[in-house]
Amino acid sequence: LEVLRTQKGLDDHGNYHEYCRLLGRLKTNYQLSELVNIENYTEWIQRVAEFTISSLQSWQWASGSVYYLLGLWSRLVTSMPYLKGDSPSLLEAYVPKITHAYITSRMESVQVVIQQNIENDPLDDTGELQDELDSLPYLCRFHYDKTSELIVSMLDPIVAAFSRLASTPPDDPRQ
């Protein structure tokens, strides 16, 4: 928790990556029912969510580490049906924000890659992309209605612009 509070050492890419790996292993070693009952769970889950969102938005720097964070959230979500007791998981508050951050950051990465002519397009790394996308269905289904609204709101303007361009006759018929 202290590392999440201070971010100390996370400016080093190696430390950052290993910390993401550590977070990704937490759900493997502990049940959600155990995690929600720890003393500082509320602060911990909030800080992990903030760290995840920040990582997703820093896609150029954090690309190889996002997989571990998405895996953590995916495993937390899939264990919700087994959560017993009165302790809130708080996943309802954070998972939609993380899903939103992932989708918008990837859409924004497309614009940045095109506008700045960046050679290392994160969407070209099919192995890494597949690893990330393996976790995404669980996050999207957690609050399907919110996720579908987000995707539709992002894609409708793109589809409309494409339709306008496709229906506009070219200036030069030889084009």
Side-chain angles (χ1 to χ4, degrees):
L1 187 58
E2 191 62 29
V3 173
L4 289 169
R5 284 183 188 137
T6 64
Q7 303 284 305
K8 187 173 183 176
L10 295 180
D11 55 346
D12 176 79
H13 196 268
N15 291 345
Y16 176 87
H17 181 73
E18 292 304 319
Y19 193 70
C20 290
R21 288 184 63 203
L22 174 68
L23 287 173
R25 299 289 301 162
L26 280 179
K27 178 54 188 90
T28 305
N29 295 328
Y30 297 98
Q31 297 297 319
L32 181 58
S33 58
E34 294 172 311
L35 291 174
V36 299
N37 288 316
I38 63 172
E39 183 179 331
N40 294 321
Y41 174 77
T42 301
E43 181 185 2
W44 177 81
I45 197 78
Q46 175 191 354
R47 292 195 184 271
V48 171
E50 291 167 354
F51 179 74
T52 302
I53 291 168
S54 173
S55 298
L56 293 170
Q57 293 168 342
S58 304
W59 56 268
Q60 289 175 305
W61 194 75
S63 62
S65 305
V66 167
Y67 157 75
Y68 299 105
L69 298 173
L70 291 175
L72 167 67
W73 289 101
S74 172
R75 286 187 296 281
L76 289 171
V77 164
T78 56
S79 62
M80 278 293 291
Y82 309 106
L83 181 61
K84 306 289 186 230
D86 296 332
S87 300
S89 70
L90 304 175
L91 296 181
E92 297 83 4
Y94 298 115
V95 171
K97 293 176 184 177
I98 290 164
T99 306
H100 182 274
Y102 179 80
I103 293 170
T104 55
S105 70
R106 293 319 178 253
M107 295 292 281
E108 290 167 1
S109 77
V110 171
Q111 290 177 329
V112 171
V113 167
I114 290 170
Q115 291 171 352
Q116 296 180 7
N117 199 24
I118 295 175
E119 290 184 31
N120 295 329
D121 183 347
L123 301 179
D124 283 343
D125 186 343
T126 56
E128 190 172 291
L129 185 60
Q130 184 62 50
D131 287 341
E132 292 174 11
L133 292 177
D134 285 344
S135 298
L136 199 59
Y138 303 102
L139 302 180
C140 291
R141 277 185 289 216
F142 188 65
H143 277 289
Y144 182 78
D145 54 339
K146 291 180 183 179
T147 304
S148 62
E149 287 174 15
L150 169 67
I151 293 171
V152 167
S153 73
M154 293 179 81
L155 291 181
D156 274 352
I158 295 169
V159 170
F162 179 78
S163 296
R164 275 194 313 278
L165 288 172
S167 65
T168 305
D171 294 336
D172 182 357
R174 294 176 281 160
Q175 287 184 2

